[in-house]
Amino acid sequence: MILRPIRPDDLDQLHEMAIETGAGFTSLPDNRDFLAERIAQSCAAFEQASSEGAALYFFVLEDVEQQALAGCCAIEARVGLEAPFYSYRVGRIGHSSPRLGLHRVLQTLSLSSDHIGDAEVCSLYLRPDWRRDRLGVLLSRSRWLFMAQHRALFPERVFAEMRGVLDEHGSSPFWRHLGRHFLPLDFHEADRLTGLGEKSFIGELMPKHPICVSLLPEELQEGIGKVHHNTRPALAMLNREGLRWEGYIDLFDAGPTVESYLDDVAGVCQSRLVTVTLGETVAVSERPSTLVASTGCEAFRVIWASHAPADETLALTEEELAALGVSAGDTVRILAS
Amino acid sequence: MILRPIRPDDLDQLHEMAIETGAGFTSLPDNRDFLAERIAQSCAAFEQASSEGAALYFFVLEDVEQQALAGCCAIEARVGLEAPFYSYRVGRIGHSSPRLGLHRVLQTLSLSSDHIGDAEVCSLYLRPDWRRDRLGVLLSRSRWLFMAQHRALFPERVFAEMRGVLDEHGSSPFWRHLGRHFLPLDFHEADRLTGLGEKSFIGELMPKHPICVSLLPEELQEGIGKVHHNTRPALAMLNREGLRWEGYIDLFDAGPTVESYLDDVAGVCQSRLVTVTLGETVAVSERPSTLVASTGCEAFRVIWASHAPADETLALTEEELAALGVSAGDTVRILAS
Amino acid sequence: MSWVVRPAEREDVPGILALAEHASPRLTNLPPDQRRLDQRVQASRRAFDIEQGPDAQACHMLVMADAHTGTLLGTASLRVKAGEGEAYYTYRQEQLIHASHQLDVRVEVPILALTHELSSSSLLCALALSPRLDDTQRLKAQRLLRRARLMMISQWPERFADRLTMALPGVIDDAGHSPFWNSVGKHFFGRDFQDINFQAGLESKSFIAEVMPPYPLYLSLLSDAARESLAHAHRTHHKALSDWYQEGFEDSGHVDILDGGPVLSARPSAVSVIKNGTWLPVTIAHQTTPTHRLLLAGQDLARYRCSMLDVAMSPAGQVVLTPEQASLLGVTAGVAVRAVLEDGL
Amino acid sequence: MSWVVRPAEREDVPGILALAEHASPRLTNLPPDQRRLDQRVQASRRAFDIEQGPDAQACHMLVMADAHTGTLLGTASLRVKAGEGEAYYTYRQEQLIHASHQLDVRVEVPILALTHELSSSSLLCALALSPRLDDTQRLKAQRLLRRARLMMISQWPERFADRLTMALPGVIDDAGHSPFWNSVGKHFFGRDFQDINFQAGLESKSFIAEVMPPYPLYLSLLSDAARESLAHAHRTHHKALSDWYQEGFEDSGHVDILDGGPVLSARPSAVSVIKNGTWLPVTIAHQTTPTHRLLLAGQDLARYRCSMLDVAMSPAGQVVLTPEQASLLGVTAGVAVRAVLEDGL
């Protein structure tokens, strides 16, 4: 199993995955042209490796034996530079009057683009047949290895948007209350358009004045910053990396944005460079514990290593060397996971 | 030199310090009643050690030989619970119109009370005669040892407000442009009232709608979040602890609020508990490197240790044991500085 | 039985207090508080006495009494400026337009915007009636108190603003809860409507408005009950609402900040009492056969008297009053009275 | 030399384009763009032809021509609704009140609030004059175009709103820079005033307003030059401003969102042309000795003609026109014309 940058010839299988994920997974829509465009953007990003402008780094997890793609994930290096980017921010404002004996704190929701220019980790999907052998961890944490290795390509902060609470129809109670009065779209359509990056309607139509949270029904207030139950494991994983909810939520489902300074992310600051040595082939573990990545950009690869690292070295088997495209003596980046 | 909680009989010397600091140091005003009240609040806080409600922990640095106070510092455990608390928050909002070829980001200043409930480190002052032997570091970092030791008394986040850019008269260009149109007070008076904690006028009079930063004169825009040149060393010290500017500024001088999760602060997470052993007296170093604190609350003391710590122990001289009020075998908290 | 409307006097305070206590729903601007009412009556007395025209803070407080027994049956006030020297806050109903060129749509977003633009208008307020009046009498009393105040404006237009404002109590349920308050103010103040309404009467409503968040309220976020109650009058005031419309008032597009009740306004020139009034000279006759029902008021502001009387008209166009009627109005033969023809008789 | 005001026709487009090109300062709502002007003239022609009354988007475009030579000397428009089906945005000058009980002060904070409340008023706009007119002629031409439009409103009040609005160009320096724009709009759009003004003419100004930040602007944060220019007319329009005041218009309290220029408004009933107009029957005589100067217009909207003429009055109160004058107005003996007495003669 190898994680690598996506290639143009992955389009068919990416499209299969997009169909598999369904409508709820808006960043992977069943839209072949859109997916082809995303692949092209990603190829350009890996090739140019620029520290400025929008750049999408899209990765796939390849099952080399089965010649199949097992999943995908991506990093948007700087959001909001080409299409607008919006969230609500939960703020607080004191509200005091000694004469009325009043000393309260009002919570407000304000439309915000504070994340413009930040990196986003997104589009993570692992196909059901491969939900084993810690492949989810490989998919998710590989991105931190890439960012650690190519630190100059990324900004100071990174975030991830988490799916909020949805009802049994996959629709959002938050949106029904707060969104539909402003947007003449249903939840899925609004969600779909933002997935396609067509977001200027948000700045045009969503409320631009602060909204007092206490005016919302209580059940909605409770849903602010809460994740969908399916999303809890993903949230827990990101929390372990050090990403926290700092008060930003999604406009449509009130799901939390979790974020961190990139240098503080566990997967970045705990990763380190070691020298490759040749090791003997050992039995494959179901609980591998060391992620290892080659240091190239277009040639970036990540696998689970079968040996544990020593202080300054890591032994890789012949097969692993081939998978990563490295030789003994080369430098690789590892992360204990 | 011992750092310890302030006591009622310190009032005279505290008042001397307040006179010495001058009008610019608003949290230490030349107002004996106010200072006596602060001491009383602090004594109550150390005694009650409560994890709820407002609590002021006020410390002094005592020169035992000269029987003089050399400086002071404080921690406000939870701001904004009894008096209002306000800052401006620098936010961003996307502003796009494909039809006009417009894709810009507007910066706004919004009145905010987001820090309500957070801890504040404040009121640090070291008298000129004692600006030597790393006593400034002792004053400043002792607070992290106290918070680490009594973690349950403090909230998740901590911040410090830094003095912004002032002109040669000690007045603020930012205030002159943005404040005086709203407040019928001069800068020093507004500053003085907030120093006394009388801040309800801010919520009453300051602009409640967002202000577009680009409408301010350019020199003011540049001053946002910048510190007074005298404050640069203090800012650098807090930055090293891990406190960062997250976009909040002072209403009057636009100085930055630097902040962090308390558990991420270097002085907190790098401090550790060791067992005391008896060591021999050694020559006093001008560059001590280990802060050591006793673990009590009212009995909290911090000094520079003359010995370096071992893995699990720290040797203290007879004199140091006495200063800290501990004996061999007791636990102390140390911080390499 | 004749009723007369006249300035409130110090000795009326106990009677006004009783009226205030019986007001349902409670009136923000007529607190059942002896000390405040005392102050108000004194201030009102000064306003009536000042010849040059009152200052902006003046509030003219009137009472309606039985002309024969002197029993107090109602009260109502007329403020020179709604803000009474402070600011009179209302929520203005507005539509923001959100247009998306991407989606090619234009959405009208209704909001409530906190404003004090009605501060400089003159305010008709604080009407309360005795509980001993029956339903028919209440309507008659409301009419007299309403028109007696408009009559004042028609006689001394220079004292009053060129915009008149009046607010009717909003919807309140039987338990005294205001759906609008529960959906808006309660979240800011954490108190019940009756508490804050009482406090607003004692302190000032402007003061309360000034600690409310200044952001526009998106109407769609209010509870259904609050939205439905918006600009609706309390059920005991539905008839009053239509009467004010008939008088020439119209919906101002504003609502009360506390209970969301309707705020009406009018230009004086559109108000029927003011448009249709005329000056008539008085003659006095002991025996008359009434032919007209007129609303009549004398020219002496300090001793203002206004009453609805059945009178005869002389061939020369004078109004023929009995000595009792003349005395009730405080007028003598030869002087002119302001008159508006009433229906009926 | 007689001038006549009439509806713009297709063949007037080149002439209007020339007027638009010479307008200084450039008019937002009269873009020097052949295609747009073509469309506007056609739409205007339809508006004049519709008998039932035009829809809300109608804009009546008039031209002023030399009655003898036919030369185009000016143009001006009258929109049924200022928003022209969209929204007409202005900044409303307001005062927020910030009161502190701690400090016992009350501060009035002047702001500009983005609003479209004037959208439903009728708008007088897009006046441009030929550069060949000298200063005296310009004043006379402005007066005729102004009053010819008000005359239309007096004849067909049912077509127009009960509030009239007009905006005058704001302060612009010699280099074409608007201090208000430089202090406000430029920060949002990053473009120069002339660029956005041109674009506003091509697209729609409403569209531009809708991408402006909706927060109130604190006036104290604007540059001194912007604050000083607020609600002041461009120096070439000072006389026009006082003329509009004299006509019965008043300061609306609003200013233009782009250049901060003054926005005036009036109720039709307060406008002198509308108040003072009268219907006079026409007789025709070859020889007359003019005794009166009248602004005259016929009753046929589709062939609207308005002109200031020196005429005689018959003993029976008819207006005596020469055959040439009658033909200029498109009227025949016996019909009534709308007339307003002008000063002079």
Side-chain angles (χ1 to χ4, degrees):
Chain A
M1 302 298 305
I2 304 173
L3 181 120
R4 60 163 172 81
I6 201 165
R7 291 189 307 246
D9 60 7
D10 292 324
L11 178 59
D12 286 340
Q13 287 204 59
L14 183 66
H15 193 192
E16 267 173 43
M17 277 198 275
I19 292 166
E20 203 172 290
T21 55
F25 202 90
T26 52
S27 64
L28 219 56
D30 173 9
N31 180 330
R32 204 176 163 84
D33 290 345
F34 178 81
L35 296 173
E37 171 62 23
R38 297 285 278 177
I39 293 175
Q41 284 168 4
S42 176
C43 292
F46 280 106
E47 190 191 328
Q48 290 158 14
S50 166
S51 60
E52 281 173 15
L56 172 76
Y57 299 93
F58 206 108
F59 303 89
V60 290
L61 180 63
E62 186 176 4
D63 186 325
V64 184
E65 284 169 32
Q66 298 196 29
Q67 294 195 317
L69 295 190
C72 63
C73 63
I75 310 164
E76 189 91 63
R78 277 162 294 275
V79 304
L81 298 191
E82 291 181 350
F85 186 90
Y86 297 102
S87 16
Y88 280 129
R89 181 174 179 281
V90 183
R92 295 190 296 169
I93 182 78
H95 179 224
S96 306
S97 167
R99 209 158 110 192
L100 286 177
L102 190 76
H103 185 57
R104 295 168 73 87
V105 179
L106 280 179
Q107 277 202 321
T108 57
L109 295 181
S110 311
L111 200 62
S112 163
S113 305
D114 285 349
H115 287 105
I116 285 181
D118 292 349
E120 180 182 11
V121 291
C122 55
S123 303
L124 186 136
Y125 179 66
L126 182 61
R127 302 176 84 167
D129 288 353
W130 283 273
R131 294 188 186 164
R132 54 172 167 82
D133 301 344
R134 307 196 78 204
L135 293 174
V137 174
L138 170 57
L139 254 185
S140 174
R141 302 204 85 190
S142 290
R143 294 178 293 192
W144 307 121
L145 284 164
F146 185 78
M147 286 192 266
Q149 185 59 39
H150 301 283
R151 182 67 189 82
L153 304 187
F154 296 95
E156 211 177 10
R157 291 187 66 91
V158 63
F159 70 92
E161 292 188 311
M162 313 303 294
R163 178 52 89 190
V165 178
L166 301 183
D167 63 18
E168 62 272 29
H169 310 295
S171 178
S172 154
F174 184 78
W175 189 87
R176 273 203 305 281
H177 197 84
L178 197 59
R180 89 187 146 84
H181 299 292
F182 298 99
L183 295 185
L185 300 174
D186 73 16
F187 172 72
H188 295 294
E189 179 63 8
D191 214 32
R192 190 184 68 81
L193 283 172
T194 52
L196 296 176
E198 294 173 6
K199 297 189 234 186
S200 76
F201 73 93
I202 294 174
E204 292 169 327
L205 296 178
M206 291 303 280
K208 294 177 192 77
H209 293 286
I211 289 167
C212 295
V213 171
S214 54
L215 297 191
L216 301 176
E218 270 179 37
E219 65 273 23
L220 289 196
Q221 294 183 34
E222 284 158 16
I224 288 174
K226 297 289 191 308
V227 294
H228 192 263
H229 56 87
N230 290 343
T231 308
R232 279 184 211 144
L235 176 62
M237 188 182 281
L238 290 169
N239 285 158
R240 280 194 300 272
E241 297 286 356
L243 279 74
R244 287 154 160 152
W245 183 43
E246 304 285 7
Y248 294 86
I249 60 169
D250 184 73
L251 292 176
F252 300 130
D253 65 17
T257 294
V258 292
E259 55 189 299
S260 174
Y261 285 89
L262 184 49
D263 291 331
D264 291 352
V265 172
V268 173
C269 63
Q270 292 168 9
S271 77
R272 61 193 178 96
L273 293 171
V274 294
T275 303
V276 172
T277 58
L278 179 61
E280 60 194 18
T281 302
V282 291
V284 175
S285 163
E286 280 177 17
R287 301 282 309 161
S289 64
T290 304
L291 286 171
V292 52
S294 59
T295 59
C297 188
E298 288 183 272
F300 184 74
R301 301 285 183 277
V302 190
I303 57 169
W304 280 115
S306 43
H307 289 277
D311 267 7
E312 302 290 336
T313 58
L314 174 70
L316 294 175
T317 64
E318 289 283 3
E319 207 177 9
E320 289 168 346
L321 289 174
L324 290 173
V326 297
S327 319
D330 283 355
T331 298
V332 290
R333 184 169 286 269
I334 60 167
L335 176 60
S337 293
Chain B
M1 300 300 303
I2 304 173
L3 181 120
R4 60 163 172 82
I6 201 165
R7 291 189 306 244
D9 60 6
D10 293 326
L11 178 59
D12 285 341
Q13 287 205 62
L14 183 66
H15 193 191
E16 266 173 44
M17 277 198 274
I19 293 166
E20 202 171 291
T21 55
F25 203 90
T26 52
S27 64
L28 219 55
D30 173 8
N31 180 330
R32 205 176 162 86
D33 290 344
F34 178 80
L35 297 173
E37 172 60 26
R38 298 286 277 177
I39 293 175
Q41 284 168 3
S42 177
C43 292
F46 280 106
E47 190 192 328
Q48 289 157 14
S50 165
S51 60
E52 283 173 14
L56 172 74
Y57 298 93
F58 206 107
F59 303 89
V60 290
L61 181 62
E62 185 176 4
D63 187 324
V64 183
E65 285 168 32
Q66 298 197 29
Q67 294 195 313
L69 295 190
C72 62
C73 64
I75 311 164
E76 189 91 62
R78 275 163 295 273
V79 304
L81 298 191
E82 292 181 350
F85 186 90
Y86 297 102
S87 17
Y88 280 130
R89 181 173 179 282
V90 183
R92 295 191 296 169
I93 181 78
H95 180 222
S96 307
S97 167
R99 209 158 111 194
L100 286 176
L102 190 75
H103 185 59
R104 294 167 73 87
V105 180
L106 279 181
Q107 278 203 321
T108 57
L109 294 182
S110 311
L111 200 62
S112 162
S113 305
D114 286 349
H115 287 105
I116 284 182
D118 292 350
E120 180 183 11
V121 292
C122 56
S123 304
L124 187 137
Y125 179 65
L126 182 62
R127 303 177 85 168
D129 288 353
W130 285 272
R131 292 187 187 163
R132 54 173 166 80
D133 301 343
R134 307 195 77 204
L135 293 175
V137 175
L138 169 57
L139 254 184
S140 173
R141 301 204 85 190
S142 291
R143 294 176 294 191
W144 306 122
L145 283 164
F146 185 78
M147 287 191 266
Q149 185 58 39
H150 301 283
R151 183 65 190 83
L153 304 187
F154 296 96
E156 211 177 10
R157 291 188 66 92
V158 63
F159 70 92
E161 292 188 311
M162 313 303 293
R163 178 53 90 190
V165 178
L166 301 183
D167 63 18
E168 61 273 27
H169 310 295
S171 176
S172 154
F174 184 79
W175 189 88
R176 274 202 304 282
H177 198 82
L178 197 59
R180 92 188 143 82
H181 299 293
F182 297 98
L183 294 186
L185 300 175
D186 74 15
F187 172 71
H188 296 294
E189 179 63 9
D191 215 30
R192 189 183 69 80
L193 284 172
T194 53
L196 297 177
E198 294 172 6
K199 297 188 235 188
S200 76
F201 73 93
I202 295 173
E204 293 169 327
L205 297 177
M206 292 302 281
K208 294 175 192 78
H209 294 287
I211 289 167
C212 295
V213 171
S214 54
L215 298 191
L216 300 176
E218 271 178 36
E219 64 273 23
L220 289 196
Q221 294 183 34
E222 284 159 17
I224 288 174
K226 296 288 192 306
V227 294
H228 192 261
H229 56 88
N230 290 343
T231 308
R232 278 184 211 144
L235 177 62
M237 188 182 279
L238 290 169
N239 285 158
R240 280 193 302 271
E241 297 286 356
L243 280 73
R244 287 154 160 152
W245 183 42
E246 302 288 5
Y248 294 85
I249 60 169
D250 183 73
L251 293 175
F252 300 130
D253 65 16
T257 294
V258 293
E259 54 190 300
S260 174
Y261 286 88
L262 184 50
D263 291 331
D264 291 351
V265 172
V268 172
C269 63
Q270 292 168 10
S271 76
R272 60 191 178 98
L273 293 171
V274 294
T275 304
V276 172
T277 58
L278 179 62
E280 59 194 18
T281 303
V282 291
V284 176
S285 164
E286 279 176 18
R287 301 283 309 160
S289 63
T290 304
L291 286 171
V292 52
S294 59
T295 57
C297 189
E298 287 182 275
F300 185 75
R301 303 283 183 280
V302 189
I303 58 169
W304 279 114
S306 44
H307 288 278
D311 267 6
E312 301 291 336
T313 59
L314 175 69
L316 293 175
T317 65
E318 288 283 4
E319 205 176 11
E320 288 167 347
L321 289 174
L324 290 174
V326 296
S327 320
D330 283 356
T331 298
V332 289
R333 184 169 288 269
I334 61 167
L335 176 62
S337 293
Chain C
M1 185 179 69
S2 290
W3 294 339
V4 63
V5 172
R6 58 167 175 78
E9 307 292 344
R10 292 201 65 167
E11 46 283 17
D12 295 325
V13 169
I16 298 169
L17 184 62
L19 295 172
E21 277 165 354
H22 283 105
S24 167
R26 276 283 156 84
L27 294 168
T28 319
N29 39 31
L30 193 69
D33 179 285
Q34 162 98 37
R35 199 179 54 82
R36 294 284 295 188
L37 289 176
D38 229 11
Q39 289 168 354
R40 290 201 180 192
V41 168
Q42 284 182 53
S44 165
R45 207 40 269 183
R46 281 195 298 278
F48 276 102
D49 287 337
I50 294 167
E51 296 226 341
Q52 304 86 320
D55 63 16
Q57 304 205 23
C59 180
H60 299 87
M61 193 178 218
L62 297 160
V63 293
M64 185 184 84
D66 183 304
H68 301 294
T69 65
T71 313
L72 233 56
L73 297 170
T75 179
S77 294
L78 178 52
R79 278 195 202 165
V80 168
K81 292 221 183 295
E84 219 182 339
E86 299 193 302
Y88 178 72
Y89 282 93
T90 50
Y91 273 127
R92 186 174 55 217
Q93 300 183 74
E94 286 184 33
Q95 303 275 346
L96 297 180
I97 297 177
H98 287 185
S100 169
H101 297 279
Q102 182 193 339
L103 303 180
D104 195 22
V105 293
R106 187 173 285 265
V107 183
E108 297 211 338
V109 178
I111 57 160
L112 297 178
L114 194 63
T115 168
H116 55 86
E117 70 173 27
L118 298 179
S119 298
S120 59
S121 65
S122 291
L123 186 73
L124 295 100
C125 61
L127 180 136
L129 299 177
S130 163
R132 70 178 72 173
L133 297 174
D134 65 27
D135 284 354
T136 318
Q137 287 173 322
R138 290 180 73 82
L139 287 179
K140 199 182 137 196
Q142 278 172 0
R143 180 178 174 88
L144 179 57
L145 279 166
R146 181 173 71 242
R147 292 170 71 93
R149 286 178 289 173
L150 296 171
M151 190 73 124
M152 268 187 71
I153 297 167
S154 79
Q155 287 203 58
W156 296 280
E158 69 284 1
R159 293 198 156 220
F160 300 99
D162 63 354
R163 186 169 188 180
L164 309 180
T165 299
M166 76 90 38
L168 284 167
V171 174
I172 288 177
D173 64 22
D174 293 332
H177 293 299
S178 154
F180 186 79
W181 174 260
N182 282 353
S183 188
V184 180
K186 191 170 183 181
H187 298 297
F188 305 140
F189 292 96
R191 312 249 180 96
D192 278 337
F193 175 69
Q194 298 300 0
D195 286 0
I196 206 85
N197 202 25
F198 183 72
Q199 190 143 21
L202 294 185
E203 299 266 358
S204 97
K205 207 159 153 183
S206 142
F207 168 61
I208 286 168
E210 281 154 5
V211 296
M212 291 177 79
Y215 322 122
L217 285 182
Y218 292 100
L219 215 56
S220 58
L221 302 187
L222 269 51
S223 70
D224 291 345
R227 268 203 312 281
E228 280 158 21
S229 78
L230 196 74
H232 283 278
H234 189 265
R235 62 186 157 69
T236 60
H237 287 69
H238 287 176
K239 179 70 174 73
L241 182 65
S242 67
D243 289 344
W244 283 101
Y245 278 129
Q246 224 167 356
E247 208 69 74
F249 279 67
E250 43 191 36
D251 183 1
S252 67
H254 294 246
V255 299
D256 186 78
I257 54 168
L258 300 186
D259 69 11
V263 175
L264 307 184
S265 79
R267 299 202 165 256
S269 59
V271 170
S272 66
V273 169
I274 298 169
K275 264 192 318 199
N276 302 328
T278 182
W279 292 108
L280 296 179
V282 167
T283 70
I284 293 179
H286 285 270
Q287 290 286 338
T288 68
T289 309
T291 54
H292 293 76
R293 179 165 290 170
L294 296 181
L295 184 73
L296 293 167
Q299 297 176 57
D300 183 354
L301 178 65
R303 296 177 40 76
Y304 183 69
R305 296 290 182 274
C306 184
S307 186
M308 204 197 311
L309 298 173
D310 292 342
V311 297
M313 295 297 294
S314 79
Q318 293 143 322
V319 57
V320 185
L321 300 180
T322 64
E324 292 75 27
Q325 289 175 328
S327 138
L328 183 154
L329 291 174
V331 296
T332 53
V335 304
V337 290
R338 189 80 186 169
V340 185
L341 189 64
E342 292 274 330
D343 294 336
L345 188 78
Chain D
M1 184 179 69
S2 291
W3 293 339
V4 63
V5 173
R6 58 167 176 78
E9 308 290 344
R10 292 202 65 167
E11 45 285 16
D12 295 325
V13 171
I16 297 170
L17 184 61
L19 293 173
E21 276 164 354
H22 284 105
S24 166
R26 277 283 156 82
L27 294 168
T28 319
N29 39 30
L30 193 70
D33 179 284
Q34 162 98 36
R35 197 179 56 83
R36 293 284 296 191
L37 289 175
D38 231 9
Q39 289 168 354
R40 292 202 177 190
V41 168
Q42 284 182 52
S44 165
R45 209 38 269 183
R46 281 195 299 277
F48 277 102
D49 287 339
I50 293 168
E51 296 226 341
Q52 305 85 319
D55 62 17
Q57 305 207 22
C59 180
H60 299 87
M61 193 179 220
L62 297 160
V63 293
M64 185 185 84
D66 183 305
H68 302 293
T69 65
T71 313
L72 233 54
L73 298 170
T75 179
S77 293
L78 179 52
R79 279 196 201 164
V80 169
K81 292 221 182 295
E84 220 183 337
E86 299 192 302
Y88 178 71
Y89 282 92
T90 50
Y91 273 126
R92 185 175 53 217
Q93 300 183 73
E94 287 184 32
Q95 303 276 345
L96 298 180
I97 295 177
H98 287 184
S100 168
H101 296 281
Q102 183 194 337
L103 302 181
D104 194 23
V105 293
R106 188 173 284 265
V107 183
E108 298 211 337
V109 178
I111 57 161
L112 297 177
L114 195 62
T115 168
H116 55 86
E117 69 173 28
L118 298 180
S119 298
S120 59
S121 65
S122 290
L123 186 73
L124 295 101
C125 62
L127 180 137
L129 299 178
S130 163
R132 71 177 73 174
L133 297 174
D134 65 28
D135 284 355
T136 318
Q137 288 173 322
R138 290 180 74 83
L139 286 179
K140 200 180 135 194
Q142 279 171 1
R143 178 177 175 90
L144 179 58
L145 279 164
R146 182 172 71 241
R147 292 171 70 93
R149 286 178 289 172
L150 296 171
M151 190 71 126
M152 268 187 71
I153 297 167
S154 79
Q155 288 204 57
W156 296 279
E158 70 283 1
R159 295 199 154 219
F160 300 99
D162 63 354
R163 185 169 189 180
L164 309 178
T165 299
M166 77 90 39
L168 284 166
V171 174
I172 288 176
D173 65 23
D174 293 333
H177 293 300
S178 154
F180 185 80
W181 174 261
N182 282 353
S183 188
V184 180
K186 191 171 183 180
H187 299 297
F188 305 139
F189 292 95
R191 312 249 179 95
D192 278 336
F193 175 70
Q194 298 299 359
D195 286 1
I196 206 86
N197 202 24
F198 184 73
Q199 190 143 21
L202 294 184
E203 298 267 359
S204 95
K205 206 158 153 185
S206 141
F207 168 61
I208 286 169
E210 281 153 5
V211 296
M212 290 177 81
Y215 322 123
L217 286 182
Y218 293 100
L219 215 56
S220 59
L221 302 186
L222 270 50
S223 70
D224 290 344
R227 268 203 312 279
E228 280 158 21
S229 77
L230 196 74
H232 283 278
H234 189 266
R235 63 186 157 68
T236 60
H237 287 70
H238 287 177
K239 178 71 174 75
L241 181 65
S242 67
D243 288 346
W244 283 101
Y245 278 130
Q246 224 165 359
E247 208 68 75
F249 279 67
E250 43 192 34
D251 182 2
S252 66
H254 295 246
V255 299
D256 186 78
I257 54 168
L258 301 185
D259 68 12
V263 175
L264 307 183
S265 80
R267 299 202 164 258
S269 58
V271 170
S272 67
V273 170
I274 298 170
K275 265 193 315 199
N276 302 328
T278 181
W279 292 107
L280 296 178
V282 168
T283 70
I284 295 178
H286 285 270
Q287 290 285 340
T288 69
T289 309
T291 54
H292 293 75
R293 178 165 290 168
L294 296 181
L295 184 72
L296 293 166
Q299 299 177 56
D300 183 353
L301 178 64
R303 295 176 43 75
Y304 183 68
R305 295 290 183 275
C306 183
S307 185
M308 205 198 306
L309 298 173
D310 294 341
V311 296
M313 295 296 295
S314 80
Q318 294 144 320
V319 58
V320 186
L321 301 180
T322 65
E324 293 74 27
Q325 288 176 328
S327 139
L328 182 156
L329 292 174
V331 297
T332 53
V335 305
V337 289
R338 189 81 187 168
V340 184
L341 188 64
E342 292 272 331
D343 295 335
L345 188 78

